Each structure stands twice: as structure tokens, then as C-alpha cells.
Amino acid sequence: MTETITSRTVRSPAAAPVLSGLGLFTVLLAAALPLIDFFIVNVALPTIGKDLSASEAVLELVVAGYGVAYAVLLVLGGRLGDLFGRRRLFLGGMAAFGLTSLACGLAPTAWTLVAARIAQGAASAAMLPQVLATIQAATQGPRRAKAMGLYGATAGLAMVAGQILGGVLVAADIAGTGWRAVFLVNVPVVVMGLFLAAKVVPETRSQHPEPVDVPGTFLLAASLLALLVPLTEGRAAGWPLWTWLSLAAFPGLVSAFYAVERRADRQGLTPLVPPSLLALTSLRRGLVMIVPFAIGFSGFMFVIAVALQSGAGLGPVAAGLALVPLAVTFFLASLAGPRLVNRYGTRVVTAGSVIQAVGLALIVLAVWRSWPHLGFVELLPGAAVAGAGQALQLPIIFRIILSEVPTARAGVGAGVMVTTQQSALALGVATLGTLFLSLVPGMGMRDALAITLSAQLAGVVLTGLLSLRLPRTIG
């Protein structure tokens, strides 16, 4: 009897959570869903506008409402996972994502759809940080490196696949659902994900749970709202006074947020984003790099969807399929990424920037030479090269950012990283999208598209230069 009790006492604390192969598949499935839903509506917007009699400003809210709610609540989602258990938040967030997807698919009016999309973004913010935090807490060494590589590959593929899938579903008009299928398709996927997660995703949490930082949460949310809302809605609304006042308030809100967080850290409290976390060189430099990359990526996806449908006259399926070469080469190159990093270190990211720049230059050349006859064949060389370059950047940058984050703060680190990525994705649609749509009336769609892609090319060059400051090896 004594031996049995002793044996149990010794064995229980030693049992570290382990993420199995099926568990990794389950969390990666969940990681794909929010990113797919950020991009899946791009090719569905014209149909949504026609069916629900929605104005351009309301249609932008369908995209922006989701993205802003998602970005604003991500760090809080990571903190709550550390506090209450990541598996618990993961299951709750996934269930909420399924219910809000159903609400989007059944929305009777445009404003109902906007409200459901905002709720869907909030559900994503509860679910996604738990994916990275679980990987950090339940994997070690080479398995963690492989899992992080697969996460980065999943994220990149999800962003491209979302747009392709959206075109296919809208054109298929399954059982007369039209655009609604782009949301309803989530429901059976979520049911399967919940079934798997309940069985194979281990529970992890911080060994020293930290309470929610209410002032920090409020100021971070206010800062992101002050920046993202006017940038995403300003052009469609005609840049009213409130947009300029909101942008003017942004620097002050960010300064107040940093001051509150630094004071909490000095007083031994638990800030939402600990300044000590930002002191990690790999995290700080990786976050700076992900901004121009994500701005360019999301801006490209939005602009190319509009240009191919409104300018080149392609249907939603053809517009989506034009990006297939990018998705295929992204997938293949991401498989080689971990081996290349083991051999050449973080200079692989620099090489990826060069390759992506070549691909974008080829796309710009195709626009100049072939417009308006632009489609799969014309875009194939540039899209294929650009996809390979992106795959040698995004997964590796994710791995670099989280490489030094302590396991106890895995949720916070994941939340900070995904918040930065998501905010930059929203900024990409707002900035490059606004640039493109503003240039079209005066210059025509071909020249507007070429100039916007050239702006993205400048961002790729910046990413490459920033990559030279990364640590040569990844911990």
C-alpha cells in the first residue's frame, strides 16, 4: 500500500503534458480557421453586397469588424489561457467560433452579419493563442521546432487557401446558399475539431497564473481601435473628422499603455504585455519583421482579388485559382525550411525575401504586359516564385519570435505575436487597399495595380534588410 501511494506521488508531478501527432493536427486545424475566415470573404464581398443591399462602407465593416475584434482581444485570450487552462479556452473558443460562423451564415441583414463577424473575431481571439501556447508548453527540442514550422506553414497556406476556397464556394452555390457557404462550411469542421480536441489536446497552464491586467487591456484595446478603425473605414466614409481625431489619439494611447505596463512591471504586478518580454532580442526583432511582411501579404490578397474580378473580368473561381501556384510552392518550400535553417541559420529568411522580391517583380511585369488579359497562366511564374520566398520567411519568423519565450508565459508571447500579425494584416488591407482604390479612378486599374504591388515590393526589401539583424541561430 505504501509503495503504491509513493509511486503515485512521484509519478504524478513528473508527468509533463505531451502533444501527440493527432493533437498537433487538431490545434493546427484550429489555427487555420481564423486565418481562412479573414481572407475567405474577399471574393464573396460583391455577392454579399448584392444579396444584402449593403453599401461599400458596410461591406468593409464585414472585413474590418472581424479583423479588429480579433486583433484587439488576442493578448487577453492568451492571458486567460495561461490563467484558466489553455485547453479549456481552446474548447470554449472553438465552440464559440462554430456558433458565430453559423450566425454569419444565417444573417438576414448586412448589419446582423457585421455583428456576427465581430463576435466571430472575438471567438478566434480566445482560440488561437492557445494553439501556440500549447505547442510551446507540450513539445520540446526538435519536436517543437517541427511543430512551429508546421504552424507557420499552416498559417501561410490558410491565408491563400481562404481566398481560393471562398471563390469555389460562392461559385458552387451549394443548395442555393451562395455566399453563406463561406461561413457555414466552418460548422462541420468545428464539430470535428471539438471531438478531437476533447480527446487528444492536453491541458496546460502557467505554473504561476497571473491575473488579468485591466488597465493594460483597456489601453491596448483603445490603441488598436484608434489605429485600425479609421484606417479601415476612413476611405469608404469619406475621411470624416472622427477618423483624423482617432488617428491623432493613437500615439498618446500607445504611450499611456507602455507607461502603465512599465509601472506595473516595476511594482511587481502582472502587466498584460510584460516589458521584460519585449526585452528578448529574438522576439523584438521578429515582431518588427512580421509587420511589413503581413501588411504586404494581406494587401496583395485583397488587391489581387479586386483587380482580377473587377478589372480582368474573372469570376470568383478563376480569381481564386490564379493563386494556386503561390499556395503549392509555399507548401513545398515550407517543408524544406526547417532543414535549411539547421544548415544556414536565419539567413534563410534573407534569401526568402530576395526570392519573394523576384516573384513580385515578375507579377508587376505580367500586369504591365498582359493587362487586362491577366489570369492563371500570366501570373503563374511570379506567383510560384513569390510563394516559395514567403514560405522561407513566415514559418521561420514565427519560430524566431517564440524561441526564447519562457513556457510559463507562452500564452502571453503567442498573444503578442499573433496580435502583431493580425494588426498588420488589417493594416495591409487598409493601407495598400486604400492606395489601390484611390489610384484607380485617375490612373486606371492596370497602373494602380502595378504601383500598389511596387509599394509591396518596397516592404519586402525592408523585411530582407531587417532580417540581417536577426540572431544567426534559433534557440
Side-chain angles (χ1 to χ4, degrees):
M1 180 73 166
T2 306
E3 284 183 8
T4 305
I5 295 172
T6 306
S7 148
R8 287 177 182 169
T9 308
V10 172
R11 192 165 52 239
S12 179
V18 175
L19 187 64
S20 66
L22 187 57
L24 179 61
F25 168 81
T26 304
V27 295
L28 291 180
L29 176 69
L33 287 174
L35 288 168
I36 286 174
D37 265 62
F38 183 82
F39 290 93
I40 201 169
V41 296
N42 282 348
V43 292
L45 286 176
T47 312
I48 294 172
K50 192 178 300 181
D51 188 37
L52 298 182
S53 303
S55 67
E56 185 181 358
V58 175
L59 286 177
E60 288 203 5
L61 275 175
V62 172
V63 179
Y66 174 85
V68 171
Y70 185 20
V72 163
L73 297 171
L74 271 164
V75 176
L76 178 61
R79 172 59 60 83
L80 291 175
D82 288 349
L83 186 61
F84 296 112
R86 293 153 190 154
R87 181 175 178 271
R88 182 179 299 177
L89 262 288
F90 179 81
L91 290 168
M94 181 176 271
F97 184 85
L99 290 172
T100 52
S101 295
L102 182 63
C104 289
L106 300 178
T109 67
W111 284 106
T112 308
L113 178 59
V114 169
R117 283 284 281 173
I118 292 171
Q120 191 186 34
S124 297
M127 176 174 63
L128 190 62
Q130 319 316 327
V131 172
L132 283 165
T134 299
I135 290 173
Q136 285 288 97
T139 60
Q140 299 292 332
R143 289 191 72 249
R144 179 182 294 175
K146 181 180 179 182
M148 286 303 302
L150 288 172
Y151 173 86
T154 300
L157 279 173
M159 291 189 275
V160 182
Q163 206 137 309
I164 297 171
L165 182 62
V168 172
L169 288 172
V170 170
D173 192 21
I174 301 166
T177 54
W179 61 267
R180 297 178 186 276
V182 304
F183 301 113
L184 295 176
V185 71
N186 291 331
V187 177
V189 177
V190 165
V191 170
M192 181 184 72
L194 286 170
F195 175 78
L196 290 173
K199 291 181 173 295
V200 298
V201 174
E203 179 64 282
T204 64
R205 68 179 72 206
S206 174
Q207 293 300 312
H208 305 285
E210 300 169 337
V212 173
D213 170 18
V214 175
T217 301
F218 173 79
L219 286 169
L220 178 62
S223 301
L224 291 173
L225 287 170
L227 176 67
L228 296 177
V229 172
L231 285 178
T232 51
E233 284 298 297
R235 187 194 62 82
W239 297 106
L241 179 61
W242 71 262
T243 59
W244 298 108
L245 292 176
S246 181
L247 289 171
F250 173 68
L253 289 168
V254 170
S255 299
F257 171 68
Y258 181 73
V260 165
E261 298 299 274
R262 187 172 59 176
R263 184 170 66 247
D265 215 14
R266 287 176 175 173
Q267 292 175 348
L269 302 176
T270 53
L272 185 71
V273 180
S276 56
L277 206 61
L278 299 177
L280 299 174
T281 302
S282 56
L283 181 136
R284 188 175 64 252
R285 293 181 180 175
L287 289 178
V288 170
M289 277 189 64
I290 210 169
V291 171
F293 181 94
I295 286 174
F297 195 107
S298 65
F300 171 82
M301 298 298 286
F302 175 79
V303 166
I304 206 72
V306 174
L308 290 178
Q309 291 186 89
S310 301
L314 300 183
V317 175
L321 291 179
L323 298 174
V324 167
L326 190 150
V328 170
T329 56
F330 188 103
F331 175 72
L332 295 175
S334 65
L335 295 178
R339 292 194 298 272
L340 292 172
V341 170
N342 289 339
R343 185 168 181 180
Y344 300 107
T346 57
R347 288 298 175 260
V348 172
V349 179
T350 310
S353 301
V354 174
I355 294 169
Q356 186 188 359
V358 171
L360 271 176
L362 290 173
I363 293 174
V364 173
L365 183 62
V367 170
W368 278 109
R369 294 177 59 180
S370 304
W371 189 265
H373 307 292
L374 196 66
F376 178 89
V377 174
E378 293 77 18
L379 290 174
L380 192 153
V385 174
Q390 290 166 348
L392 297 179
Q393 296 173 81
L394 186 64
I396 300 166
I397 294 172
F398 283 162
R399 185 176 158 192
I400 290 166
I401 290 172
L402 295 177
S403 61
E404 296 180 301
V405 175
T407 300
R409 286 183 164 174
V412 179
V416 170
M417 185 186 81
V418 183
T419 296
T420 305
Q421 179 201 13
Q422 186 59 40
S423 300
L425 289 174
L427 278 174
V429 174
T431 54
L432 293 182
T434 297
L435 172 65
F436 172 70
L437 294 172
S438 301
L439 292 175
V440 168
M443 304 182 67
M445 196 162 288
R446 185 195 74 166
D447 292 353
L449 179 58
I451 289 174
T452 305
L453 292 177
S454 299
Q456 184 194 355
L457 184 57
V460 173
V461 172
L462 175 60
T463 304
L465 294 173
L466 290 170
S467 70
L468 297 173
R469 299 186 68 242
L470 291 172
R472 289 300 298 267
T473 59
I474 304 175

